[in-house]
mmCIF file of all heavy atoms in Angstrom:
data_model
loop_
_atom_site.group_PDB
_atom_site.id
_atom_site.type_symbol
_atom_site.label_atom_id
_atom_site.label_comp_id
_atom_site.label_asym_id
_atom_site.label_seq_id
_atom_site.Cartn_x
_atom_site.Cartn_y
_atom_site.Cartn_z
ATOM 1 N N LYS L 725 -12.729 -8.551 -25.381
ATOM 2 C CA LYS L 725 -13.754 -8.307 -24.347
ATOM 3 C C LYS L 725 -13.541 -9.239 -23.145
ATOM 4 O O LYS L 725 -12.929 -10.231 -23.294
ATOM 5 C CB LYS L 725 -15.135 -8.607 -24.950
ATOM 6 C CG LYS L 725 -15.497 -10.017 -25.444
ATOM 7 C CD LYS L 725 -15.891 -10.938 -24.342
ATOM 8 C CE LYS L 725 -16.041 -12.428 -24.825
ATOM 9 N NZ LYS L 725 -15.976 -13.432 -23.914
ATOM 10 N N ASP L 754 -6.153 -6.629 -31.449
ATOM 11 C CA ASP L 754 -5.498 -6.987 -32.666
ATOM 12 C C ASP L 754 -5.491 -5.866 -33.584
ATOM 13 O O ASP L 754 -6.279 -5.043 -33.566
ATOM 14 C CB ASP L 754 -6.297 -8.172 -33.255
ATOM 15 C CG ASP L 754 -6.141 -9.488 -32.548
ATOM 16 O OD1 ASP L 754 -5.230 -9.589 -31.723
ATOM 17 O OD2 ASP L 754 -7.010 -10.452 -32.809
ATOM 18 N N LEU L 775 -2.362 -20.095 -36.761
ATOM 19 C CA LEU L 775 -3.652 -19.835 -37.098
ATOM 20 C C LEU L 775 -3.909 -20.088 -38.599
ATOM 21 O O LEU L 775 -3.099 -19.531 -39.405
ATOM 22 C CB LEU L 775 -4.116 -18.429 -36.745
ATOM 23 C CG LEU L 775 -4.628 -18.097 -35.383
ATOM 24 C CD1 LEU L 775 -4.999 -16.660 -35.295
ATOM 25 C CD2 LEU L 775 -5.745 -18.998 -35.080
ATOM 26 N N PRO L 776 -4.950 -20.771 -39.051
ATOM 27 C CA PRO L 776 -5.161 -20.865 -40.497
ATOM 28 C C PRO L 776 -5.555 -19.620 -41.114
ATOM 29 O O PRO L 776 -6.088 -18.711 -40.382
ATOM 30 C CB PRO L 776 -6.391 -21.953 -40.474
ATOM 31 C CG PRO L 776 -7.042 -21.678 -39.211
ATOM 32 C CD PRO L 776 -5.998 -21.345 -38.168
ATOM 33 N N ARG L 780 -11.292 -21.402 -42.308
ATOM 34 C CA ARG L 780 -11.403 -21.627 -40.813
ATOM 35 C C ARG L 780 -11.135 -20.385 -40.084
ATOM 36 O O ARG L 780 -11.518 -20.209 -38.917
ATOM 37 C CB ARG L 780 -10.419 -22.655 -40.502
ATOM 38 C CG ARG L 780 -10.846 -24.086 -40.979
ATOM 39 C CD ARG L 780 -9.758 -25.112 -40.806
ATOM 40 N NE ARG L 780 -8.532 -24.771 -41.561
ATOM 41 C CZ ARG L 780 -7.326 -25.360 -41.548
ATOM 42 N NH1 ARG L 780 -7.122 -26.316 -40.612
ATOM 43 N NH2 ARG L 780 -6.330 -24.966 -42.412
ATOM 44 N N ASN L 781 -10.495 -19.451 -40.665
ATOM 45 C CA ASN L 781 -10.281 -18.111 -39.878
ATOM 46 C C ASN L 781 -11.534 -17.182 -40.000
ATOM 47 O O ASN L 781 -12.012 -16.990 -41.119
ATOM 48 C CB ASN L 781 -9.035 -17.410 -40.605
ATOM 49 C CG ASN L 781 -8.514 -16.355 -39.615
ATOM 50 O OD1 ASN L 781 -9.263 -15.420 -39.249
ATOM 51 N ND2 ASN L 781 -7.249 -16.495 -39.121
ATOM 52 N N LEU L 782 -11.934 -16.725 -38.805
ATOM 53 C CA LEU L 782 -13.208 -15.838 -38.852
ATOM 54 C C LEU L 782 -13.001 -14.589 -39.668
ATOM 55 O O LEU L 782 -14.022 -14.124 -40.187
ATOM 56 C CB LEU L 782 -13.489 -15.435 -37.404
ATOM 57 C CG LEU L 782 -14.377 -16.509 -36.677
ATOM 58 C CD1 LEU L 782 -14.291 -16.408 -35.114
ATOM 59 C CD2 LEU L 782 -15.858 -16.357 -37.139
ATOM 60 N N ALA L 783 -11.813 -14.017 -39.835
ATOM 61 C CA ALA L 783 -11.564 -12.876 -40.662
ATOM 62 C C ALA L 783 -11.883 -13.241 -42.122
ATOM 63 O O ALA L 783 -12.536 -12.487 -42.889
ATOM 64 C CB ALA L 783 -10.236 -12.327 -40.472
ATOM 65 N N LEU L 808 -3.538 -9.602 -40.421
ATOM 66 C CA LEU L 808 -3.883 -9.715 -39.028
ATOM 67 C C LEU L 808 -2.610 -9.637 -38.173
ATOM 68 O O LEU L 808 -1.698 -10.592 -38.431
ATOM 69 C CB LEU L 808 -4.544 -11.010 -38.690
ATOM 70 C CG LEU L 808 -6.003 -11.299 -39.220
ATOM 71 C CD1 LEU L 808 -6.394 -12.690 -38.554
ATOM 72 C CD2 LEU L 808 -6.965 -10.191 -38.840
ATOM 73 N N LYS L 810 -1.802 -10.388 -34.495
ATOM 74 C CA LYS L 810 -2.644 -10.899 -33.304
ATOM 75 C C LYS L 810 -1.880 -10.408 -32.116
ATOM 76 O O LYS L 810 -0.673 -10.588 -32.013
ATOM 77 C CB LYS L 810 -2.654 -12.445 -33.314
ATOM 78 C CG LYS L 810 -3.520 -13.052 -34.357
ATOM 79 C CD LYS L 810 -5.047 -12.899 -34.170
ATOM 80 C CE LYS L 810 -5.638 -13.422 -32.950
ATOM 81 N NZ LYS L 810 -6.999 -13.122 -32.818
ATOM 82 N N ILE L 812 -4.303 -10.434 -29.131
ATOM 83 C CA ILE L 812 -5.251 -11.005 -28.280
ATOM 84 C C ILE L 812 -4.906 -12.478 -28.152
ATOM 85 O O ILE L 812 -4.863 -13.136 -29.341
ATOM 86 C CB ILE L 812 -6.713 -10.770 -28.742
ATOM 87 C CG1 ILE L 812 -6.906 -9.285 -28.865
ATOM 88 C CG2 ILE L 812 -7.668 -11.445 -27.731
ATOM 89 C CD1 ILE L 812 -8.371 -8.993 -29.548
ATOM 90 N N PRO L 813 -4.672 -13.125 -27.139
ATOM 91 C CA PRO L 813 -4.368 -14.518 -27.120
ATOM 92 C C PRO L 813 -5.606 -15.411 -27.726
ATOM 93 O O PRO L 813 -6.596 -14.926 -27.531
ATOM 94 C CB PRO L 813 -4.133 -14.916 -25.637
ATOM 95 C CG PRO L 813 -4.459 -13.743 -24.840
ATOM 96 C CD PRO L 813 -4.622 -12.545 -25.765
ATOM 97 N N VAL L 814 -5.242 -16.490 -28.307
ATOM 98 C CA VAL L 814 -6.155 -17.354 -29.074
ATOM 99 C C VAL L 814 -6.771 -18.310 -28.089
ATOM 100 O O VAL L 814 -6.086 -18.840 -27.166
ATOM 101 C CB VAL L 814 -5.479 -18.046 -30.225
ATOM 102 C CG1 VAL L 814 -6.419 -19.041 -30.863
ATOM 103 C CG2 VAL L 814 -4.978 -16.941 -31.295
ATOM 104 N N GLY L 815 -8.141 -18.626 -28.232
ATOM 105 C CA GLY L 815 -8.857 -19.537 -27.396
ATOM 106 C C GLY L 815 -8.675 -19.229 -25.957
ATOM 107 O O GLY L 815 -8.522 -20.082 -25.101
ATOM 108 N N ALA L 816 -8.969 -17.979 -25.661
ATOM 109 C CA ALA L 816 -8.603 -17.373 -24.325
ATOM 110 C C ALA L 816 -9.915 -17.076 -23.595
ATOM 111 O O ALA L 816 -9.850 -16.663 -22.440
ATOM 112 C CB ALA L 816 -7.677 -16.196 -24.497
ATOM 113 N N GLY L 817 -11.009 -16.970 -24.265
ATOM 114 C CA GLY L 817 -12.294 -16.446 -23.669
ATOM 115 C C GLY L 817 -12.364 -14.899 -23.802
ATOM 116 O O GLY L 817 -13.137 -14.258 -23.137
ATOM 117 N N LEU L 818 -11.454 -14.289 -24.764
ATOM 118 C CA LEU L 818 -11.400 -12.860 -24.990
ATOM 119 C C LEU L 818 -12.055 -12.515 -26.251
ATOM 120 O O LEU L 818 -12.035 -11.301 -26.687
ATOM 121 C CB LEU L 818 -9.995 -12.468 -24.877
ATOM 122 C CG LEU L 818 -9.357 -12.681 -23.501
ATOM 123 C CD1 LEU L 818 -7.798 -12.355 -23.605
ATOM 124 C CD2 LEU L 818 -9.959 -11.835 -22.412
ATOM 125 N N ALA L 819 -12.598 -13.518 -26.989
ATOM 126 C CA ALA L 819 -13.290 -13.314 -28.330
ATOM 127 C C ALA L 819 -12.408 -12.640 -29.389
ATOM 128 O O ALA L 819 -12.874 -11.790 -30.107
ATOM 129 C CB ALA L 819 -14.647 -12.448 -28.082
ATOM 130 N N GLY L 820 -11.155 -13.012 -29.406
ATOM 131 C CA GLY L 820 -10.202 -12.403 -30.393
ATOM 132 C C GLY L 820 -10.636 -12.757 -31.820
ATOM 133 O O GLY L 820 -10.499 -11.877 -32.656
ATOM 134 N N GLY L 821 -11.062 -13.960 -32.072
ATOM 135 C CA GLY L 821 -11.554 -14.340 -33.469
ATOM 136 C C GLY L 821 -12.726 -13.371 -33.909
ATOM 137 O O GLY L 821 -12.829 -12.929 -34.966
ATOM 138 N N SER L 822 -13.634 -13.283 -32.967
ATOM 139 C CA SER L 822 -14.818 -12.315 -33.192
ATOM 140 C C SER L 822 -14.379 -10.869 -33.419
ATOM 141 O O SER L 822 -14.916 -10.239 -34.279
ATOM 142 C CB SER L 822 -15.804 -12.390 -32.121
ATOM 143 O OG SER L 822 -16.266 -13.705 -31.819
ATOM 144 N N ASP L 824 -11.600 -10.023 -34.746
ATOM 145 C CA ASP L 824 -10.965 -9.915 -36.165
ATOM 146 C C ASP L 824 -12.050 -9.868 -37.287
ATOM 147 O O ASP L 824 -12.011 -9.122 -38.332
ATOM 148 C CB ASP L 824 -10.010 -11.108 -36.421
ATOM 149 C CG ASP L 824 -8.896 -11.142 -35.430
ATOM 150 O OD1 ASP L 824 -8.647 -10.060 -34.770
ATOM 151 O OD2 ASP L 824 -8.269 -12.084 -35.286
ATOM 152 N N ALA L 825 -13.146 -10.687 -36.959
ATOM 153 C CA ALA L 825 -14.237 -10.684 -38.048
ATOM 154 C C ALA L 825 -14.933 -9.345 -37.957
ATOM 155 O O ALA L 825 -15.194 -8.870 -39.073
ATOM 156 C CB ALA L 825 -15.285 -11.838 -37.536
ATOM 157 N N ASP L 855 -20.645 -13.438 -30.693
ATOM 158 C CA ASP L 855 -19.908 -12.335 -30.123
ATOM 159 C C ASP L 855 -19.566 -11.250 -31.077
ATOM 160 O O ASP L 855 -18.989 -10.146 -30.686
ATOM 161 C CB ASP L 855 -18.617 -12.859 -29.511
ATOM 162 C CG ASP L 855 -18.812 -13.629 -28.177
ATOM 163 O OD1 ASP L 855 -19.886 -13.556 -27.622
ATOM 164 O OD2 ASP L 855 -17.849 -14.343 -27.744
ATOM 165 N N VAL L 895 -9.074 -23.252 -23.804
ATOM 166 C CA VAL L 895 -10.228 -24.092 -23.432
ATOM 167 C C VAL L 895 -11.172 -23.958 -24.643
ATOM 168 O O VAL L 895 -11.428 -22.919 -25.194
ATOM 169 C CB VAL L 895 -10.941 -23.512 -22.117
ATOM 170 C CG1 VAL L 895 -12.238 -24.110 -21.907
ATOM 171 C CG2 VAL L 895 -10.022 -23.638 -20.953
ATOM 172 N N THR L 897 -14.455 -23.630 -26.338
ATOM 173 C CA THR L 897 -15.872 -23.041 -25.849
ATOM 174 C C THR L 897 -16.881 -24.073 -26.051
ATOM 175 O O THR L 897 -17.673 -24.285 -25.074
ATOM 176 C CB THR L 897 -16.099 -21.783 -26.710
ATOM 177 O OG1 THR L 897 -15.070 -20.900 -26.612
ATOM 178 C CG2 THR L 897 -17.441 -21.137 -26.358
ATOM 179 N N PRO L 898 -16.971 -24.802 -27.110
ATOM 180 C CA PRO L 898 -18.076 -25.951 -27.130
ATOM 181 C C PRO L 898 -17.977 -26.909 -26.030
ATOM 182 O O PRO L 898 -19.004 -27.339 -25.438
ATOM 183 C CB PRO L 898 -17.852 -26.599 -28.553
ATOM 184 C CG PRO L 898 -17.094 -25.611 -29.375
ATOM 185 C CD PRO L 898 -16.301 -24.727 -28.375
ATOM 186 N N GLY L 981 -15.486 -15.447 -20.099
ATOM 187 C CA GLY L 981 -16.043 -16.240 -21.090
ATOM 188 C C GLY L 981 -15.775 -17.787 -20.646
ATOM 189 O O GLY L 981 -15.965 -18.155 -19.538
ATOM 190 N N SER L 982 -15.415 -18.553 -21.697
ATOM 191 C CA SER L 982 -15.147 -20.036 -21.349
ATOM 192 C C SER L 982 -13.729 -20.134 -20.840
ATOM 193 O O SER L 982 -13.118 -21.322 -20.738
ATOM 194 C CB SER L 982 -15.395 -20.805 -22.569
ATOM 195 O OG SER L 982 -14.730 -20.352 -23.637
ATOM 196 N N GLY L 983 -13.063 -19.026 -20.555
ATOM 197 C CA GLY L 983 -11.616 -19.156 -20.085
ATOM 198 C C GLY L 983 -10.619 -19.517 -21.120
ATOM 199 O O GLY L 983 -11.006 -19.569 -22.280
HETATM 200 P P1 ATP D 2227 -15.011 -17.652 -28.200
HETATM 201 O O1 ATP D 2227 -15.353 -17.434 -26.749
HETATM 202 O O2 ATP D 2227 -15.774 -16.763 -29.078
HETATM 203 O O3 ATP D 2227 -14.854 -19.082 -28.620
HETATM 204 P P2 ATP D 2227 -12.178 -17.389 -27.617
HETATM 205 O O4 ATP D 2227 -11.586 -15.995 -27.138
HETATM 206 O O5 ATP D 2227 -12.297 -18.389 -26.621
HETATM 207 O O6 ATP D 2227 -13.527 -17.020 -28.333
HETATM 208 P P3 ATP D 2227 -10.735 -17.266 -30.101
HETATM 209 O O7 ATP D 2227 -9.446 -16.694 -29.773
HETATM 210 O O8 ATP D 2227 -11.791 -16.310 -30.742
HETATM 211 O O9 ATP D 2227 -11.295 -17.879 -28.792
HETATM 212 O O10 ATP D 2227 -10.510 -18.555 -30.997
HETATM 213 C C1 ATP D 2227 -11.379 -19.662 -30.866
HETATM 214 C C2 ATP D 2227 -11.055 -20.623 -32.062
HETATM 215 O O11 ATP D 2227 -11.312 -19.935 -33.332
HETATM 216 C C3 ATP D 2227 -9.670 -21.103 -32.108
HETATM 217 O O12 ATP D 2227 -9.701 -22.490 -32.116
HETATM 218 C C4 ATP D 2227 -9.039 -20.519 -33.453
HETATM 219 O O13 ATP D 2227 -8.350 -21.561 -34.182
HETATM 220 C C5 ATP D 2227 -10.319 -20.206 -34.247
HETATM 221 N N1 ATP D 2227 -10.083 -18.938 -34.973
HETATM 222 C C6 ATP D 2227 -10.564 -18.667 -36.268
HETATM 223 N N2 ATP D 2227 -10.109 -17.446 -36.597
HETATM 224 C C7 ATP D 2227 -9.503 -16.818 -35.624
HETATM 225 C C8 ATP D 2227 -8.906 -15.615 -35.467
HETATM 226 N N3 ATP D 2227 -8.847 -14.612 -36.479
HETATM 227 N N4 ATP D 2227 -8.261 -15.400 -34.359
HETATM 228 C C9 ATP D 2227 -8.338 -16.260 -33.364
HETATM 229 N N5 ATP D 2227 -8.904 -17.451 -33.431
HETATM 230 C C10 ATP D 2227 -9.481 -17.879 -34.615
#
Side-chain angles (χ1 to χ4, degrees):
K725 63 85 188 156
D754 284 348
L775 269 185
R780 288 169 293 170
N781 195 302
L782 271 160
L808 294 183
K810 292 293 297 178
I812 305 172
V814 175
L818 299 172
S822 301
D824 298 344
D855 286 345
V895 172
T897 303
S982 53

